[in-house]
Amino acid sequence: MITNLTDSETTWARKIWISYWYIIGVQLLAQLFSYLFLPYDAQVVEFYYYVLLFPTLKMSATVGLAWIVNKFFRKYSFYTLVVAGTILAILIIRLNTDIRIISALFLLPILVSVIFYRSRLTLFSAILQLLGFIFLYFGDESYRSHLSDFDLVAIPCFIGACTLLAINIMSRGRELQEALLTTMTAKQELMIQYAIMRKQAQIDSLTHLYNQASFYEHFDMALTYSGERSSSFFLALLDIDNFKTINDTFGHLIGDVVLSRVAQIIKETISSNDIAARYGGEEFALLLFETDVARAIKLVETIRTTVSGTKHEEMAGKVVTISIGIASYEPGMSKETLFEKADKKLYKAKNSGKNRTVT
């Protein structure tokens, strides 16, 4: 059963309806031009009433009525397009029976059906054209008199051959459509895989923070941005205290659990604009884009106190602590200078009792 038109098919159907009106207009102008400028065997009244006016009204009524049916009965949209095209072709052929090639207009509805890539619609259209040819042949003496015995065989064969060609064109079109869809799907999969691989290349697999390489990329961008706008940001280096002892006492698997837990606290504390990375074994680096030093210090202190207040069941309820060194970027400062500045503050925090922040 033929279904309703899709949005795309509706757009093309609208173009076909417009084309039908265009065909009527061209036919009218062609008849008028022939009468005015070419030898034409018809009287004025006969021409204007029986060649120009009445046939044009019939064609207009056919297209108009079919359009109304299409408007209110959407499930017959395909049928109304094809039937209207067939009647239009019959009326024009009947009006121009002396033009032998005019029978090629039977192809009009077949071409219309091809636009929608529906083989059943094309077959329906072909059968309709054969019936139209039979109707004209037996119902119109003028048309029959202009056909030879060869035409009687050639025209149905021509309709059949063009129908077969139309079906083959649609089959080829579907193959190309499927090939394009396959290519697009493969491309999307490659893009997804690339995105996953890129993310994996940037993210530390254990902590799910940025790794050192991607941290440096963000570090460079932060320096460039701040240098251009004379703005500031903060670099904080965090180090888990006595992490070697944790590994030696509880094992590296427990050490990995501690690393992951500390990383999770960092992620939950910083803002979406900040950058957090696992810089080394038990060391983390943060780029904080806070408005002032007080807020930056408050943020890292929140991380430090949250870590020191978290008990680890894997370590018999013990806690771990972190030491932090934080430095602010000043216009004109190099990456190495800023990092050295923060590293010295971290070193001071480690050597002055640990579990503290040095600014």
Side-chain angles (χ1 to χ4, degrees):
M1 182 178 178
I2 298 178
T3 57
N4 290 341
L5 277 67
T6 62
D7 291 340
S8 176
E9 289 173 334
T10 299
T11 300
W12 279 103
R14 188 180 301 112
K15 293 179 181 179
I16 293 171
W17 289 116
I18 294 173
S19 298
Y20 284 170
W21 289 110
Y22 175 78
I23 290 171
I24 294 173
V26 169
Q27 188 278 146
L28 185 147
L29 292 176
Q31 293 289 353
L32 185 60
F33 179 86
S34 299
Y35 180 74
L36 294 176
F37 301 104
L38 298 175
Y40 205 102
D41 187 20
Q43 299 298 321
V44 175
V45 174
E46 179 186 358
F47 170 77
Y48 280 104
Y49 281 91
Y50 296 103
V51 177
L52 202 64
L53 181 60
F54 289 163
T56 301
L57 288 176
K58 289 179 182 178
M59 295 176 199
S60 299
T62 297
V63 175
L65 181 60
W67 185 84
I68 292 173
V69 173
N70 172 76
K71 184 75 174 177
F72 293 99
F73 301 95
R74 291 291 186 182
K75 64 179 180 178
Y76 300 117
S77 295
F78 290 113
Y79 294 110
T80 52
L81 277 171
V82 172
V83 171
T86 302
I87 296 174
L88 190 60
I90 290 173
L91 290 174
I92 295 175
I93 293 171
R94 193 173 186 181
L95 194 61
N96 301 275
T97 54
D98 56 326
I99 304 175
R100 292 191 62 185
I101 199 174
I102 200 69
S103 295
L105 274 178
F106 280 123
L107 297 180
L108 174 64
I110 296 176
L111 294 175
V112 167
S113 67
V114 171
I115 293 176
F116 300 103
Y117 272 72
R118 295 172 184 258
S119 299
R120 292 178 61 184
L121 183 63
T122 301
L123 291 174
F124 169 77
S125 178
I127 293 172
L128 209 58
Q129 305 323 298
L130 291 173
L131 292 176
F133 171 71
I134 294 171
F135 168 79
L136 274 179
Y137 184 79
F138 290 103
D140 192 303
E141 173 63 30
S142 177
Y143 179 70
R144 185 167 60 250
S145 65
H146 285 88
L147 295 181
S148 65
D149 293 340
F150 176 78
D151 293 329
L152 185 60
V153 176
I155 291 176
C157 290
F158 183 65
I159 293 174
C162 289
T163 302
L164 180 61
L165 180 60
I167 292 174
N168 287 332
I169 290 173
M170 288 188 291
S171 297
R172 178 56 178 159
R174 291 192 193 96
E175 288 179 359
L176 293 174
Q177 189 177 37
E178 291 173 1
L180 179 60
L181 180 61
T182 301
T183 301
M184 291 179 62
T185 302
K187 183 178 180 180
Q188 289 176 345
E189 291 176 353
L190 285 174
M191 291 176 65
I192 293 171
Q193 290 176 3
Y194 173 77
I196 293 172
M197 290 175 65
R198 179 174 172 80
K199 183 176 180 180
Q200 290 175 341
Q202 292 180 328
I203 302 298
D204 176 67
S205 59
L206 176 62
T207 62
H208 302 294
L209 300 178
Y210 287 111
N211 57 28
Q212 188 181 98
S214 57
F215 170 76
Y216 276 124
E217 291 180 7
H218 288 94
F219 198 3
D220 289 335
M221 287 189 289
L223 287 169
T224 301
Y225 181 87
S226 297
E228 291 176 350
R229 292 162 177 76
S230 298
S231 59
S232 184
F233 67 93
F234 301 89
L235 170 64
L237 298 179
L238 297 72
D239 189 86
I240 300 177
D241 299 324
N242 306 311
F243 189 71
K244 184 177 183 303
T245 302
I246 295 173
N247 279 335
D248 293 342
T249 304
F250 300 99
H252 289 280
L253 290 178
I254 302 303
D256 289 345
V257 172
V258 171
L259 282 169
S260 298
R261 200 162 284 155
V262 171
Q264 185 62 34
I265 292 171
I266 292 172
K267 283 191 290 185
E268 292 174 352
T269 306
I270 64 175
S271 72
S272 59
N273 294 326
D274 299 327
I275 301 296
R278 183 186 179 188
Y279 187 77
E282 70 274 15
E283 190 172 351
F284 302 90
L286 307 181
L287 295 175
L288 307 174
F289 301 94
E290 304 298 329
T291 55
D292 55 59
V293 66
R295 292 183 62 180
I297 293 174
K298 181 179 179 182
L299 187 147
V300 295
E301 273 293 284
T302 300
I303 295 173
R304 186 185 64 79
T305 55
T306 303
V307 170
S308 63
T310 301
K311 296 181 179 181
H312 302 273
E313 294 181 2
E314 301 85 355
M315 297 168 52
K318 295 182 180 298
V319 299
V320 298
T321 60
I322 58 173
S323 298
I324 304 172
I326 182 171
S328 63
Y329 169 79
E330 298 174 3
M333 184 180 290
S334 67
K335 177 172 61 178
E336 292 76 15
T337 301
L338 178 59
F339 202 91
E340 183 180 357
K341 187 177 178 181
D343 195 46
K344 285 182 178 179
K345 294 181 183 297
L346 173 61
Y347 184 78
K348 185 177 180 180
K350 300 287 279 186
N351 286 313
S352 58
K354 302 178 182 178
N355 190 25
R356 65 190 61 205
T357 300
V358 175
T359 62

